[in-house]
Amino acid sequence: MAQRRALVVRGGWEGHQPVKATELFIPFLERSGYAVRVEESTEIYADAAEMAGTDLVVQCMTMSQITAEQVAGLRAAVAAGTGFTGWHGGIVDAFRASSDYLQLVGGQFATHPGREPCERRGGEEDNFLPHRVSFTDLGREHPITTGIEDIDLVTEQYWVLHDDLIDVLAVTTHPTQSWHPWHRPVTSPAIWTRLWGAGRIVVTTPGHSLDVLEHPGIRTVIERGMVWATRTASAS
């Protein structure tokens, strides 16, 4: 069997530590039999031959820009069977101006609600809230998330705009608070998969900082998601 090829694409906003974050998972990929290539920009997405030979793309590229040719190359590769995965802003807060990218991923970061205004001190912790990532019935059976208990975190809680082509494995609920303008709890997908042509996509929204990525439950989801998303024999 030919060695599987993984492409790690990282960069963008440094607040999500794209180098250190991806370095957490490269050893797992190598132990799992992948040949890993690392790129610091999305230029490779426009290389049709390289993308056709890639079995999995792991992206950590918060915000940033992408050209029409690059996003077209990524979409074509995924439709032809290349897996695509990532976490937090590196996948759902990337390339905000590209509607074609947003359609591919199926969800877009909108906000992360913060603490009560009187408790805010001006740092990133102002947006760290205790919340639960709860697995759906599908999530309790899916190979990515089966056997993992609901996860309690104190970190950014993503509010995501999404469509119904995603298969939701876990959700998180934003409660009503007196300082917020919404009038009922809002439930957002926290982990989902998406089928796109012959390709598989996995999105994990927790992952703002290294300690969250190192949480046993979150790390397991991301690692299993990489394997699940990888090109299948039928897509070769």
Side-chain angles (χ1 to χ4, degrees), residues 194-213:
R194 186 173 181 87
L195 301 180
W196 193 260
R200 293 174 165 183
I201 299 168
V202 183
V203 173
T204 305
T205 63
H208 172 75
S209 51
L210 300 183
D211 61 304
V212 177
L213 293 172

Side-chain angles (χ1 to χ4, degrees), residues 99-128:
S99 59
D100 286 342
Y101 175 80
L102 301 182
Q103 186 194 26
L104 174 68
V105 174
Q108 167 63 37
F109 163 80
T111 190
H112 38 61
R115 296 179 179 177
E116 187 171 3
C118 66
E119 297 179 357
R120 300 177 190 179
R121 299 294 180 266
E124 65 177 8
E125 293 82 3
D126 290 350
N127 298 313
F128 290 0

Side-chain angles (χ1 to χ4, degrees), residues 5-11 18-19 21-23 25-27 29 35-42 44-45 54 56-61 85 87 226:
R5 297 176 61 197
L7 170 65
V8 174
V9 177
R10 64 191 185 189
V19 173
T22 52
E23 293 292 337
F25 296 99
I26 289 174
L29 289 168
V36 180
R37 174 173 179 172
V38 178
E39 292 290 329
E40 312 292 338
S41 81
T42 54
I44 195 169
Y45 289 165
T54 297
L56 173 69
V57 175
V58 179
Q59 180 183 281
C60 185
M61 185 73 68
T85 191
W87 53 86
M226 291 174 179

